[in-house]
Short mmCIF file of all heavy atoms in Angstrom, two decimals:
data_model
loop_
_atom_site.label_atom_id
_atom_site.label_comp_id
_atom_site.label_asym_id
_atom_site.label_seq_id
_atom_site.Cartn_x
_atom_site.Cartn_y
_atom_site.Cartn_z
N GLU A 10 0.85 -1.18 -0.02
CA GLU A 10 -0.03 0.00 0.02
C GLU A 10 0.91 1.24 0.01
O GLU A 10 1.85 1.35 0.77
CB GLU A 10 -0.91 -0.02 1.22
CG GLU A 10 -1.86 1.11 1.31
CD GLU A 10 -2.72 1.01 2.55
OE1 GLU A 10 -3.04 -0.12 2.94
OE2 GLU A 10 -3.07 2.06 3.08
N ARG A 11 0.55 2.16 -0.86
CA ARG A 11 1.36 3.43 -0.94
C ARG A 11 1.00 4.37 0.18
O ARG A 11 -0.17 4.50 0.55
CB ARG A 11 1.05 4.13 -2.27
CG ARG A 11 1.79 3.53 -3.44
CD ARG A 11 1.53 4.32 -4.68
NE ARG A 11 1.95 5.73 -4.50
CZ ARG A 11 1.49 6.74 -5.25
NH1 ARG A 11 0.66 6.51 -6.22
NH2 ARG A 11 1.90 7.94 -5.03
N ALA A 12 2.04 5.02 0.67
CA ALA A 12 1.81 6.04 1.69
C ALA A 12 1.16 7.26 1.05
O ALA A 12 1.46 7.62 -0.10
CB ALA A 12 3.14 6.43 2.33
N PRO A 13 0.25 7.92 1.75
CA PRO A 13 -0.38 9.09 1.21
C PRO A 13 0.60 10.24 1.04
O PRO A 13 1.60 10.31 1.76
CB PRO A 13 -1.45 9.46 2.23
CG PRO A 13 -1.05 8.77 3.48
CD PRO A 13 -0.23 7.62 3.09
N THR A 14 0.37 11.06 0.08
CA THR A 14 1.22 12.21 -0.17
C THR A 14 0.69 13.44 0.55
O THR A 14 -0.39 13.91 0.20
CB THR A 14 1.36 12.52 -1.69
OG1 THR A 14 1.83 11.34 -2.32
CG2 THR A 14 2.29 13.65 -1.93
N LEU A 15 1.43 13.92 1.52
CA LEU A 15 1.04 15.13 2.27
C LEU A 15 1.89 16.27 1.78
O LEU A 15 3.06 16.06 1.40
CB LEU A 15 1.23 14.93 3.76
CG LEU A 15 0.47 13.81 4.43
CD1 LEU A 15 0.85 13.76 5.92
CD2 LEU A 15 -1.01 13.97 4.29
N THR A 16 1.33 17.46 1.74
CA THR A 16 2.10 18.64 1.43
C THR A 16 3.05 18.92 2.59
O THR A 16 2.93 18.34 3.68
CB THR A 16 1.22 19.91 1.23
OG1 THR A 16 0.59 20.21 2.49
CG2 THR A 16 0.16 19.66 0.19
N ASP A 17 4.06 19.74 2.35
CA ASP A 17 4.99 20.09 3.41
C ASP A 17 4.30 20.66 4.64
O ASP A 17 4.61 20.34 5.77
CB ASP A 17 6.06 21.08 2.93
CG ASP A 17 7.04 20.45 1.93
OD1 ASP A 17 7.10 19.20 1.86
OD2 ASP A 17 7.74 21.21 1.22
N ARG A 18 3.31 21.51 4.37
CA ARG A 18 2.57 22.16 5.50
C ARG A 18 1.74 21.13 6.27
O ARG A 18 1.66 21.13 7.45
CB ARG A 18 1.67 23.31 4.96
CG ARG A 18 0.97 24.03 6.06
CD ARG A 18 1.94 24.64 7.07
NE ARG A 18 2.28 26.00 6.64
CZ ARG A 18 3.20 26.74 7.22
NH1 ARG A 18 3.88 26.30 8.24
NH2 ARG A 18 3.43 27.93 6.75
N GLU A 19 1.10 20.24 5.51
CA GLU A 19 0.30 19.15 6.18
C GLU A 19 1.21 18.30 7.01
O GLU A 19 0.83 17.89 8.14
CB GLU A 19 -0.45 18.31 5.12
CG GLU A 19 -1.58 19.02 4.45
CD GLU A 19 -2.08 18.34 3.22
OE1 GLU A 19 -1.45 17.39 2.68
OE2 GLU A 19 -3.14 18.76 2.73
N THR A 20 2.42 18.02 6.52
CA THR A 20 3.38 17.21 7.30
C THR A 20 3.74 17.95 8.59
O THR A 20 3.82 17.33 9.67
CB THR A 20 4.63 16.92 6.44
OG1 THR A 20 4.21 16.18 5.29
CG2 THR A 20 5.66 16.11 7.22
N SER A 21 4.00 19.24 8.48
CA SER A 21 4.33 20.06 9.67
C SER A 21 3.20 20.03 10.68
O SER A 21 3.41 19.81 11.88
CB SER A 21 4.61 21.49 9.29
OG SER A 21 5.75 21.57 8.50
N VAL A 22 1.97 20.22 10.19
CA VAL A 22 0.81 20.21 11.07
C VAL A 22 0.68 18.80 11.75
O VAL A 22 0.44 18.69 12.95
CB VAL A 22 -0.49 20.54 10.32
CG1 VAL A 22 -1.73 20.27 11.15
CG2 VAL A 22 -0.44 22.02 9.91
N LEU A 23 0.87 17.74 10.98
CA LEU A 23 0.82 16.39 11.51
C LEU A 23 1.86 16.19 12.60
O LEU A 23 1.56 15.58 13.63
CB LEU A 23 1.00 15.34 10.40
CG LEU A 23 0.99 13.91 10.83
CD1 LEU A 23 -0.28 13.49 11.54
CD2 LEU A 23 1.21 12.99 9.62
N GLU A 24 3.07 16.67 12.39
CA GLU A 24 4.14 16.53 13.37
C GLU A 24 3.73 17.18 14.68
O GLU A 24 3.94 16.60 15.76
CB GLU A 24 5.44 17.11 12.83
CG GLU A 24 6.05 16.29 11.76
CD GLU A 24 7.22 16.97 11.03
OE1 GLU A 24 7.49 18.13 11.35
OE2 GLU A 24 7.87 16.32 10.21
N TRP A 25 3.20 18.40 14.62
CA TRP A 25 2.76 19.10 15.85
C TRP A 25 1.53 18.42 16.48
O TRP A 25 1.45 18.30 17.71
CB TRP A 25 2.52 20.57 15.57
CG TRP A 25 3.80 21.30 15.35
CD1 TRP A 25 4.31 21.76 14.20
CD2 TRP A 25 4.76 21.66 16.37
NE1 TRP A 25 5.52 22.39 14.39
CE2 TRP A 25 5.83 22.31 15.72
CE3 TRP A 25 4.84 21.48 17.72
CZ2 TRP A 25 6.95 22.78 16.39
CZ3 TRP A 25 5.95 21.95 18.42
CH2 TRP A 25 6.98 22.59 17.73
N LEU A 26 0.61 17.99 15.63
CA LEU A 26 -0.55 17.27 16.12
C LEU A 26 -0.10 15.97 16.87
O LEU A 26 -0.68 15.69 17.95
CB LEU A 26 -1.41 16.89 14.88
CG LEU A 26 -2.75 16.19 15.07
CD1 LEU A 26 -3.64 16.53 13.90
CD2 LEU A 26 -2.53 14.71 15.16
N ALA A 27 0.88 15.29 16.34
CA ALA A 27 1.37 14.08 16.96
C ALA A 27 2.02 14.32 18.30
O ALA A 27 2.09 13.45 19.13
CB ALA A 27 2.34 13.39 16.01
N ARG A 28 2.46 15.55 18.51
CA ARG A 28 3.06 15.94 19.81
C ARG A 28 1.96 16.38 20.81
O ARG A 28 2.25 16.78 21.93
CB ARG A 28 4.03 17.10 19.60
CG ARG A 28 5.25 16.70 18.79
CD ARG A 28 6.15 17.90 18.59
NE ARG A 28 7.24 17.53 17.67
CZ ARG A 28 8.03 18.40 17.08
NH1 ARG A 28 7.84 19.67 17.24
NH2 ARG A 28 8.99 17.97 16.28
N GLY A 29 0.68 16.31 20.35
CA GLY A 29 -0.41 16.61 21.25
C GLY A 29 -0.76 18.10 21.33
O GLY A 29 -1.48 18.50 22.26
N LYS A 30 -0.26 18.86 20.39
CA LYS A 30 -0.50 20.32 20.45
C LYS A 30 -1.88 20.66 19.93
O LYS A 30 -2.33 20.09 18.95
CB LYS A 30 0.55 21.06 19.63
CG LYS A 30 1.98 20.79 20.04
CD LYS A 30 2.22 21.19 21.47
CE LYS A 30 3.68 20.96 21.86
NZ LYS A 30 3.92 21.24 23.27
N PRO A 31 -2.57 21.56 20.57
CA PRO A 31 -3.88 22.02 20.10
C PRO A 31 -3.75 22.92 18.82
O PRO A 31 -2.68 23.48 18.60
CB PRO A 31 -4.48 22.78 21.26
CG PRO A 31 -3.29 23.26 22.02
CD PRO A 31 -2.20 22.22 21.80
N ASN A 32 -4.83 23.06 18.13
CA ASN A 32 -4.81 23.87 16.88
C ASN A 32 -4.25 25.24 17.12
O ASN A 32 -3.51 25.78 16.31
CB ASN A 32 -6.22 23.97 16.24
CG ASN A 32 -6.65 22.64 15.67
OD1 ASN A 32 -5.88 21.71 15.51
ND2 ASN A 32 -7.95 22.56 15.38
N LYS A 33 -4.68 25.90 18.19
CA LYS A 33 -4.24 27.27 18.47
C LYS A 33 -2.73 27.38 18.62
O LYS A 33 -2.11 28.28 18.08
CB LYS A 33 -4.93 27.76 19.75
CG LYS A 33 -4.74 29.24 19.98
CD LYS A 33 -5.66 29.70 21.12
CE LYS A 33 -5.60 31.20 21.27
NZ LYS A 33 -6.59 31.69 22.25
N GLU A 34 -2.14 26.40 19.30
CA GLU A 34 -0.67 26.41 19.47
C GLU A 34 0.03 26.08 18.16
O GLU A 34 1.06 26.68 17.85
CB GLU A 34 -0.28 25.42 20.56
CG GLU A 34 1.17 25.52 20.94
CD GLU A 34 1.52 24.70 22.16
OE1 GLU A 34 0.64 24.39 22.96
OE2 GLU A 34 2.71 24.34 22.28
N ILE A 35 -0.49 25.15 17.37
CA ILE A 35 0.07 24.84 16.07
C ILE A 35 0.03 26.07 15.17
O ILE A 35 1.03 26.42 14.54
CB ILE A 35 -0.70 23.68 15.40
CG1 ILE A 35 -0.52 22.39 16.16
CG2 ILE A 35 -0.20 23.48 13.93
CD1 ILE A 35 -1.44 21.23 15.75
N ALA A 36 -1.09 26.77 15.21
CA ALA A 36 -1.22 28.00 14.41
C ALA A 36 -0.17 29.04 14.80
O ALA A 36 0.50 29.62 13.93
CB ALA A 36 -2.64 28.61 14.56
N SER A 37 0.00 29.24 16.08
CA SER A 37 0.98 30.21 16.53
C SER A 37 2.39 29.81 16.13
O SER A 37 3.17 30.63 15.71
CB SER A 37 0.88 30.32 18.08
OG SER A 37 1.85 31.18 18.58
N THR A 38 2.71 28.55 16.31
CA THR A 38 4.05 28.02 15.98
C THR A 38 4.35 28.18 14.50
O THR A 38 5.47 28.53 14.13
CB THR A 38 4.17 26.54 16.41
OG1 THR A 38 3.93 26.45 17.81
CG2 THR A 38 5.53 25.99 16.08
N LEU A 39 3.39 27.86 13.64
CA LEU A 39 3.60 27.90 12.19
C LEU A 39 3.26 29.25 11.58
O LEU A 39 3.40 29.41 10.36
CB LEU A 39 2.75 26.79 11.53
CG LEU A 39 3.11 25.33 11.95
CD1 LEU A 39 2.21 24.34 11.24
CD2 LEU A 39 4.55 25.03 11.71
N HIS A 40 2.84 30.19 12.40
CA HIS A 40 2.50 31.54 11.92
C HIS A 40 1.40 31.53 10.85
O HIS A 40 1.52 32.15 9.81
CB HIS A 40 3.74 32.28 11.44
CG HIS A 40 4.85 32.29 12.41
ND1 HIS A 40 4.81 33.05 13.55
CD2 HIS A 40 6.03 31.58 12.44
CE1 HIS A 40 5.93 32.82 14.24
NE2 HIS A 40 6.67 31.97 13.60
N ILE A 41 0.37 30.73 11.16
CA ILE A 41 -0.83 30.70 10.29
C ILE A 41 -2.08 30.80 11.18
O ILE A 41 -1.95 30.65 12.42
CB ILE A 41 -0.87 29.38 9.43
CG1 ILE A 41 -0.84 28.12 10.31
CG2 ILE A 41 0.24 29.38 8.43
CD1 ILE A 41 -0.93 26.81 9.58
N CYS A 42 -3.22 31.08 10.61
CA CYS A 42 -4.41 31.22 11.44
C CYS A 42 -5.00 29.85 11.83
O CYS A 42 -4.71 28.82 11.17
CB CYS A 42 -5.45 32.10 10.76
SG CYS A 42 -6.30 31.34 9.39
N GLU A 43 -5.72 29.84 12.88
CA GLU A 43 -6.27 28.58 13.44
C GLU A 43 -7.18 27.87 12.46
O GLU A 43 -7.20 26.66 12.34
CB GLU A 43 -7.00 28.85 14.75
CG GLU A 43 -7.34 27.61 15.52
CD GLU A 43 -7.88 27.89 16.91
OE1 GLU A 43 -7.87 29.04 17.35
OE2 GLU A 43 -8.31 26.91 17.55
N GLU A 44 -7.94 28.65 11.69
CA GLU A 44 -8.83 28.07 10.66
C GLU A 44 -8.02 27.31 9.62
O GLU A 44 -8.42 26.27 9.10
CB GLU A 44 -9.70 29.13 10.01
CG GLU A 44 -10.85 29.56 10.84
CD GLU A 44 -11.80 28.44 11.23
OE1 GLU A 44 -12.17 27.64 10.34
OE2 GLU A 44 -12.16 28.32 12.41
N THR A 45 -6.88 27.86 9.27
CA THR A 45 -5.99 27.20 8.28
C THR A 45 -5.47 25.86 8.88
O THR A 45 -5.41 24.86 8.15
CB THR A 45 -4.80 28.09 7.88
OG1 THR A 45 -5.37 29.30 7.37
CG2 THR A 45 -3.92 27.43 6.87
N VAL A 46 -5.13 25.84 10.15
CA VAL A 46 -4.69 24.61 10.80
C VAL A 46 -5.85 23.60 10.72
O VAL A 46 -5.60 22.42 10.36
CB VAL A 46 -4.30 24.83 12.26
CG1 VAL A 46 -4.04 23.53 12.98
CG2 VAL A 46 -3.07 25.72 12.33
N LYS A 47 -7.07 24.01 11.01
CA LYS A 47 -8.22 23.12 10.96
C LYS A 47 -8.38 22.48 9.56
O LYS A 47 -8.68 21.31 9.43
CB LYS A 47 -9.51 23.86 11.37
CG LYS A 47 -9.53 24.14 12.88
CD LYS A 47 -10.79 24.92 13.22
CE LYS A 47 -10.78 25.36 14.68
NZ LYS A 47 -11.99 26.12 15.01
N THR A 48 -8.16 23.34 8.53
CA THR A 48 -8.27 22.85 7.17
C THR A 48 -7.21 21.81 6.93
O THR A 48 -7.47 20.73 6.33
CB THR A 48 -8.13 23.99 6.16
OG1 THR A 48 -9.21 24.89 6.41
CG2 THR A 48 -8.16 23.53 4.74
N HIS A 49 -5.98 22.10 7.33
CA HIS A 49 -4.85 21.15 7.12
C HIS A 49 -5.12 19.84 7.87
O HIS A 49 -4.90 18.76 7.35
CB HIS A 49 -3.54 21.73 7.56
CG HIS A 49 -3.01 22.79 6.67
ND1 HIS A 49 -2.90 22.66 5.32
CD2 HIS A 49 -2.51 24.05 6.96
CE1 HIS A 49 -2.38 23.76 4.79
NE2 HIS A 49 -2.14 24.63 5.75
N VAL A 50 -5.63 19.91 9.10
CA VAL A 50 -5.95 18.73 9.89
C VAL A 50 -6.98 17.90 9.14
O VAL A 50 -6.83 16.68 9.03
CB VAL A 50 -6.43 19.08 11.30
CG1 VAL A 50 -6.97 17.84 12.01
CG2 VAL A 50 -5.26 19.68 12.12
N SER A 51 -8.01 18.56 8.62
CA SER A 51 -9.05 17.82 7.86
C SER A 51 -8.44 17.11 6.66
O SER A 51 -8.78 15.94 6.37
CB SER A 51 -10.13 18.76 7.40
OG SER A 51 -10.83 19.27 8.48
N HIS A 52 -7.57 17.78 5.95
CA HIS A 52 -6.91 17.20 4.78
C HIS A 52 -6.06 16.00 5.21
O HIS A 52 -6.04 14.94 4.52
CB HIS A 52 -6.07 18.19 4.05
CG HIS A 52 -6.87 19.29 3.36
ND1 HIS A 52 -6.30 20.43 2.85
CD2 HIS A 52 -8.19 19.36 3.06
CE1 HIS A 52 -7.25 21.16 2.31
NE2 HIS A 52 -8.42 20.54 2.43
N VAL A 53 -5.31 16.17 6.28
CA VAL A 53 -4.46 15.09 6.77
C VAL A 53 -5.30 13.87 7.13
O VAL A 53 -4.96 12.73 6.74
CB VAL A 53 -3.60 15.54 7.99
CG1 VAL A 53 -2.96 14.37 8.69
CG2 VAL A 53 -2.55 16.57 7.54
N LEU A 54 -6.39 14.07 7.87
CA LEU A 54 -7.23 12.96 8.29
C LEU A 54 -7.76 12.23 7.05
O LEU A 54 -7.75 10.99 7.01
CB LEU A 54 -8.40 13.42 9.18
CG LEU A 54 -8.03 14.07 10.50
CD1 LEU A 54 -9.28 14.48 11.24
CD2 LEU A 54 -7.15 13.12 11.36
N ALA A 55 -8.23 12.98 6.07
CA ALA A 55 -8.78 12.38 4.86
C ALA A 55 -7.74 11.63 4.12
O ALA A 55 -7.94 10.48 3.65
CB ALA A 55 -9.39 13.48 3.97
N LYS A 56 -6.55 12.23 3.92
CA LYS A 56 -5.49 11.54 3.15
C LYS A 56 -4.97 10.27 3.84
O LYS A 56 -4.57 9.29 3.18
CB LYS A 56 -4.33 12.49 2.91
CG LYS A 56 -4.64 13.57 1.89
CD LYS A 56 -3.46 14.50 1.67
CE LYS A 56 -3.75 15.53 0.58
NZ LYS A 56 -2.54 16.35 0.33
N LEU A 57 -4.94 10.29 5.17
CA LEU A 57 -4.48 9.16 5.95
C LEU A 57 -5.58 8.08 6.09
O LEU A 57 -5.29 6.96 6.48
CB LEU A 57 -3.97 9.55 7.31
CG LEU A 57 -2.78 10.49 7.35
CD1 LEU A 57 -2.36 10.74 8.79
CD2 LEU A 57 -1.62 9.94 6.54
N GLY A 58 -6.82 8.50 5.82
CA GLY A 58 -7.95 7.55 5.97
C GLY A 58 -8.24 7.27 7.41
O GLY A 58 -8.65 6.15 7.75
N VAL A 59 -8.05 8.25 8.28
CA VAL A 59 -8.34 8.09 9.70
C VAL A 59 -9.43 9.05 10.12
O VAL A 59 -9.72 10.01 9.42
CB VAL A 59 -7.10 8.27 10.56
CG1 VAL A 59 -6.05 7.23 10.22
CG2 VAL A 59 -6.50 9.67 10.44
N SER A 60 -10.05 8.82 11.27
CA SER A 60 -11.22 9.61 11.65
C SER A 60 -10.95 10.62 12.72
O SER A 60 -11.80 11.47 13.00
CB SER A 60 -12.37 8.72 12.07
OG SER A 60 -11.97 7.88 13.13
N ASP A 61 -9.79 10.55 13.37
CA ASP A 61 -9.53 11.52 14.43
C ASP A 61 -8.04 11.81 14.61
O ASP A 61 -7.20 11.13 14.04
CB ASP A 61 -10.19 11.10 15.75
CG ASP A 61 -9.66 9.78 16.28
OD1 ASP A 61 -8.46 9.50 16.19
OD2 ASP A 61 -10.47 8.98 16.78
N ARG A 62 -7.75 12.80 15.42
CA ARG A 62 -6.40 13.24 15.66
C ARG A 62 -5.50 12.15 16.30
O ARG A 62 -4.36 12.05 16.00
CB ARG A 62 -6.38 14.48 16.56
CG ARG A 62 -7.05 15.68 15.97
CD ARG A 62 -7.26 16.78 17.02
NE ARG A 62 -6.04 17.41 17.38
CZ ARG A 62 -5.63 18.57 16.90
NH1 ARG A 62 -6.31 19.19 16.01
NH2 ARG A 62 -4.48 19.12 17.30
N THR A 63 -6.11 11.37 17.17
CA THR A 63 -5.35 10.31 17.88
C THR A 63 -4.85 9.28 16.83
O THR A 63 -3.68 8.89 16.87
CB THR A 63 -6.24 9.58 18.92
OG1 THR A 63 -6.64 10.60 19.86
CG2 THR A 63 -5.48 8.51 19.60
N GLN A 64 -5.71 8.89 15.89
CA GLN A 64 -5.31 7.93 14.90
C GLN A 64 -4.23 8.54 14.00
O GLN A 64 -3.28 7.84 13.59
CB GLN A 64 -6.51 7.49 14.03
CG GLN A 64 -7.46 6.63 14.81
CD GLN A 64 -8.73 6.28 13.99
OE1 GLN A 64 -9.03 6.91 12.99
NE2 GLN A 64 -9.41 5.25 14.43
N ALA A 65 -4.33 9.82 13.68
CA ALA A 65 -3.33 10.50 12.87
C ALA A 65 -1.99 10.53 13.64
O ALA A 65 -0.94 10.29 13.04
CB ALA A 65 -3.78 11.90 12.53
N ALA A 66 -2.04 10.76 14.93
CA ALA A 66 -0.81 10.81 15.72
C ALA A 66 -0.16 9.44 15.78
O ALA A 66 1.06 9.28 15.68
CB ALA A 66 -1.14 11.30 17.14
N LEU A 67 -0.96 8.36 15.87
CA LEU A 67 -0.43 7.02 15.86
C LEU A 67 0.23 6.70 14.51
O LEU A 67 1.28 6.08 14.45
CB LEU A 67 -1.52 6.01 16.18
CG LEU A 67 -2.05 6.05 17.61
CD1 LEU A 67 -3.28 5.14 17.75
CD2 LEU A 67 -0.98 5.64 18.60
N TYR A 68 -0.38 7.14 13.44
CA TYR A 68 0.17 6.98 12.09
C TYR A 68 1.52 7.69 12.03
O TYR A 68 2.52 7.10 11.55
CB TYR A 68 -0.80 7.50 11.06
CG TYR A 68 -0.35 7.32 9.63
CD1 TYR A 68 -0.80 6.26 8.91
CD2 TYR A 68 0.56 8.21 9.04
CE1 TYR A 68 -0.37 6.03 7.58
CE2 TYR A 68 0.97 8.02 7.71
CZ TYR A 68 0.50 6.94 7.00
OH TYR A 68 0.93 6.76 5.75
N ALA A 69 1.56 8.91 12.49
CA ALA A 69 2.80 9.69 12.44
C ALA A 69 3.89 9.01 13.28
O ALA A 69 5.09 8.99 12.88
CB ALA A 69 2.56 11.11 12.97
N ALA A 70 3.53 8.44 14.41
CA ALA A 70 4.48 7.74 15.28
C ALA A 70 5.14 6.57 14.57
O ALA A 70 6.32 6.30 14.74
CB ALA A 70 3.83 7.30 16.58
N ARG A 71 4.36 5.89 13.73
CA ARG A 71 4.92 4.73 13.01
C ARG A 71 5.92 5.17 11.94
O ARG A 71 6.77 4.38 11.54
CB ARG A 71 3.79 3.95 12.31
CG ARG A 71 2.92 3.19 13.28
CD ARG A 71 2.05 2.16 12.56
NE ARG A 71 1.31 2.74 11.45
CZ ARG A 71 0.02 3.05 11.44
NH1 ARG A 71 -0.67 2.85 12.53
NH2 ARG A 71 -0.55 3.57 10.38
N LEU A 72 5.80 6.41 11.49
CA LEU A 72 6.70 6.93 10.45
C LEU A 72 8.01 7.45 11.00
O LEU A 72 8.99 7.56 10.26
CB LEU A 72 6.05 8.06 9.68
CG LEU A 72 4.77 7.72 8.89
CD1 LEU A 72 4.22 8.94 8.22
CD2 LEU A 72 5.04 6.57 7.92
N ARG A 73 8.06 7.75 12.32
CA ARG A 73 9.25 8.33 12.89
C ARG A 73 10.41 7.28 12.94
O ARG A 73 10.15 6.13 13.31
CB ARG A 73 8.98 8.77 14.32
CG ARG A 73 8.34 10.10 14.39
CD ARG A 73 8.39 10.67 15.81
NE ARG A 73 7.20 11.45 15.94
CZ ARG A 73 6.22 11.23 16.82
NH1 ARG A 73 6.33 10.20 17.66
NH2 ARG A 73 5.17 12.00 16.88
N PRO A 74 11.59 7.75 12.59
CA PRO A 74 12.73 6.81 12.71
C PRO A 74 12.91 6.32 14.15
O PRO A 74 12.69 7.03 15.09
CB PRO A 74 13.94 7.71 12.34
CG PRO A 74 13.35 8.88 11.61
CD PRO A 74 11.99 9.06 12.15
N GLY A 75 13.20 5.02 14.28
CA GLY A 75 13.39 4.46 15.59
C GLY A 75 12.11 4.03 16.24
O GLY A 75 12.10 3.62 17.39
N SER A 76 10.99 4.12 15.54
CA SER A 76 9.72 3.72 16.11
C SER A 76 9.51 2.25 15.97
O SER A 76 9.93 1.64 15.03
CB SER A 76 8.53 4.47 15.44
OG SER A 76 8.60 5.84 15.71
#
């Protein structure tokens, strides 16, 4: 099965999401608005085929080196 293709920004959002950061903090860190973070999170969930942030975080954890 092929891994989904995420944009660089979606990958950044996923990395922060996987660290348990809320949308507001992700937005502040990446210097984007919170609504934009929500859009990226929705795209990430859809592309990964998962239904929530926890499943996305687990997916991201499997991709990390040394996991």
